[in-house]
Amino acid sequence: MSLRVLGRRRKWQAPGNSKIFNSPFYVQQSDQTYIRDRSIEVLKYVRDNSPSPTNFVRNIKQYLSEKMDNFVNNNSIAIHFLKPLIFYGLVDEIIPEKDVYRDVITIDGTQFLMHYENGEYEEATKSFLHCLLRSKYSNNKATSRTKTPGLYPFRIIFYLLRMHGELLIDDFKRWIPFIQSKEDLDKNKFIKTDESYTKLHTWVINCLVDLKILSLTNGKYKINNFYNVDGWLNELSSLLEESSLFDKQETLQSEDEEESENARFGITLLLKNEVKKLNNWKCFINDDHPTFLSKVDNKPFLFIHHIIPVEYRASFPSFNINDVENLIPICSPCHTAIHHGNQEQTFQLVEIIFSRKREFLKQLNISPFQLLQMYNNTLP
């Protein structure tokens, strides 16, 4: 067994100096739930306004003063109210137009807030778990000081909990926050140093205990089944495979790879042809976009694009992700631009899709900004 010699390690950063939520969602509002209630109100503001960062800083304290009787309007830096929401995947920063930045509630953040406002606290916790598993460091504006490869911190945490059954407090101080690659997942090969980082443990892991997602007994953390967390994680098991803990390399998809992916997602040739026929074997984005004849069936080649990505199927449990309404045929350049173009280019295509599928997307409570956010967070 060879051990890799490492110098001072880079570490995962955790935002702010408080928890995002400091009590379970079902606990009635009180002074003891102040942090939780403030985060909820901030999330509502983002949902209703999709503000620019400048407008958020300018308006949020006045908004909170109006919404919360016990809001403490002190010298706190306003952007710190927002950063935890970004870190945990409830909010994301997008650039829909050139040099235009907006903070928008994510689709799982929308689901979370809907369940919370309806008093469906178990479902709210489940949606929050979805947010956690989509949160990654490579594009997380809440932790810009973290110089890590693209990794999903919460996927790694739950992966290790499921593998080992329990993790020690010391694991969250001297091992887990320093994981950078697949090799670091093996605790026996990981070189512990004198360096210790407590912020992740103090503000993040203990927050998951407060929400009853994790339990802490005798210095050991386990998955807490106060809710059906184990069952939820089984539903999302594809996100907890070792291959899904770190960013995949972005590569262009070939026709053969597209056929393989379609088969894996349950899209049959019959369904593909039905979708293409509904659009007269033309690109949904623009009928005039040229196509070529496919070697598979000698018909115009078009990618079958999920408007709501397959990766988000768990966020819509009552909706068939392969419903014809959610599938559109698009030409190869449009498919490439959606998944690999910059945000401004992608948003131009999103606006076309949204304008033609407005009724369908409105029924699912999805905005153009959220559609862009989902594509930013998804590889083909």
Side-chain angles (χ1 to χ4, degrees):
M1 180 187 300
S2 62
L3 298 179
R4 293 176 297 123
V5 179
L6 300 169
R8 183 176 177 84
R9 285 183 166 273
R10 294 176 295 176
K11 56 182 177 288
W12 304 358
Q13 293 288 340
N17 288 301
S18 70
K19 301 174 184 178
I20 182 175
F21 301 124
N22 63 332
S23 69
F25 300 127
Y26 59 79
V27 174
Q28 292 186 348
Q29 291 184 352
S30 69
D31 288 341
Q32 282 69 46
T33 64
Y34 173 79
I35 296 298
R36 182 200 69 185
D37 301 336
R38 188 184 70 186
S39 294
I40 293 291
E41 292 299 337
V42 172
L43 187 58
K44 290 179 182 177
Y45 176 79
V46 174
R47 177 194 61 188
D48 297 339
N49 296 279
S50 297
S52 68
T54 300
N55 285 338
F56 178 88
V57 171
R58 180 184 298 129
N59 298 322
I60 191 60
K61 288 190 177 182
Q62 179 61 37
Y63 175 87
L64 292 173
S65 295
E66 295 170 357
K67 297 296 182 179
M68 298 178 65
D69 293 336
N70 60 345
F71 175 64
V72 179
N73 193 352
N74 54 27
N75 293 325
S76 298
I77 300 174
I79 202 68
H80 287 175
F81 301 161
L82 180 66
K83 283 189 173 184
L85 301 180
I86 297 175
F87 176 77
Y88 288 93
L90 292 158
V91 170
D92 197 8
E93 184 179 86
I94 64 170
I95 311 172
E97 302 169 59
K98 186 176 181 180
D99 300 326
V100 175
Y101 289 78
R102 287 186 179 273
D103 292 301
V104 301
I105 187 170
T106 63
I107 194 62
D108 288 311
T110 299
Q111 300 284 343
F112 161 78
L113 196 52
M114 177 190 70
H115 290 308
Y116 180 85
E117 292 179 317
N118 290 339
E120 301 163 347
Y121 300 122
E122 181 172 343
E123 290 301 313
T125 305
K126 183 178 182 180
S127 292
F128 182 64
L129 182 66
H130 290 172
C131 290
L132 298 181
L133 296 181
R134 298 196 203 285
S135 176
K136 62 181 177 179
Y137 269 120
S138 60
N139 66 349
N140 199 314
K141 309 302 186 298
T143 55
S144 57
R145 290 191 300 157
T146 299
K147 297 179 179 178
T148 72
L151 55 82
Y152 294 83
F154 294 102
R155 293 186 192 182
I156 291 172
I157 288 168
F158 286 109
Y159 169 84
L160 293 173
L161 280 166
R162 283 157 66 91
M163 175 181 290
H164 297 287
E166 60 187 25
L167 295 171
L168 304 175
I169 290 177
D170 193 59
D171 291 333
F172 287 104
K173 294 181 179 180
R174 298 183 182 275
W175 171 32
I176 293 172
F178 301 98
I179 289 174
Q180 300 291 317
S181 64
K182 292 181 180 179
E183 289 77 11
D184 294 334
L185 298 174
D186 187 338
K187 188 177 178 181
N188 294 323
K189 294 182 180 180
F190 184 86
I191 300 176
K192 291 186 178 180
T193 68
D194 291 334
E195 187 175 2
S196 177
Y197 180 64
T198 62
K199 201 171 183 181
L200 180 82
H201 169 259
T202 301
W203 302 126
V204 177
I205 303 305
N206 283 326
C207 169
L208 301 185
V209 173
D210 290 343
L211 293 176
K212 298 192 179 299
I213 292 174
L214 300 183
S215 63
L216 174 62
T217 305
N218 298 326
K220 298 177 181 179
Y221 289 99
K222 296 182 179 180
I223 294 172
N224 187 351
N225 267 328
F226 178 86
Y227 299 115
N228 183 30
V229 178
D230 265 328
W232 299 344
L233 292 174
N234 286 335
E235 293 175 9
L236 300 164
S237 59
S238 63
L239 300 180
L240 298 175
E241 298 170 357
E242 189 171 301
S243 60
S244 298
L245 307 181
F246 301 85
D247 266 352
K248 298 180 178 67
Q249 184 180 3
E250 293 195 27
T251 56
L252 300 183
Q253 194 176 40
S254 69
E255 181 179 355
D256 290 338
E257 289 170 331
E258 193 260 352
E259 290 296 327
S260 176
E261 286 291 281
N262 282 338
R264 184 163 68 89
F265 296 145
I267 301 181
T268 64
L269 181 60
L270 184 65
L271 178 58
K272 287 179 60 178
N273 287 342
E274 180 183 357
V275 172
K276 294 174 183 178
K277 185 177 180 180
L278 285 172
N279 206 60
N280 298 316
W281 296 84
K282 301 287 186 179
C283 175
F284 183 87
I285 302 295
N286 189 325
D287 288 352
D288 293 332
H289 285 179
T291 59
F292 55 89
L293 297 181
S294 169
K295 66 181 181 182
V296 175
D297 56 14
N298 206 37
K299 294 180 179 178
F301 177 79
L302 293 158
F303 283 94
I304 299 300
H305 174 70
H306 287 83
I307 300 174
I308 300 169
V310 173
E311 288 85 341
Y312 282 82
R313 60 191 179 276
S315 302
F316 301 90
S318 61
F319 174 69
N320 178 8
I321 208 75
N322 285 338
D323 190 288
V324 171
E325 193 71 43
N326 191 48
L327 301 174
I328 56 174
I330 56 176
C331 66
S332 183
C334 284
H335 179 260
T336 302
I338 284 177
H339 289 291
H340 300 279
N342 63 32
Q343 292 192 40
E344 183 181 359
Q345 292 171 319
T346 302
F347 192 62
Q348 292 173 3
L349 302 181
V350 164
E351 288 186 307
I352 295 172
I353 294 172
F354 192 87
S355 67
R356 298 186 62 184
K357 288 286 188 176
R358 183 181 301 274
E359 184 176 346
F360 162 62
L361 292 168
K362 288 282 189 180
Q363 288 175 348
L364 295 174
N365 202 25
I366 296 174
S367 72
F369 291 153
Q370 288 175 321
L371 205 55
L372 174 62
Q373 186 274 328
M374 283 192 280
Y375 294 161
N376 288 344
N377 202 32
T378 305
L379 288 178

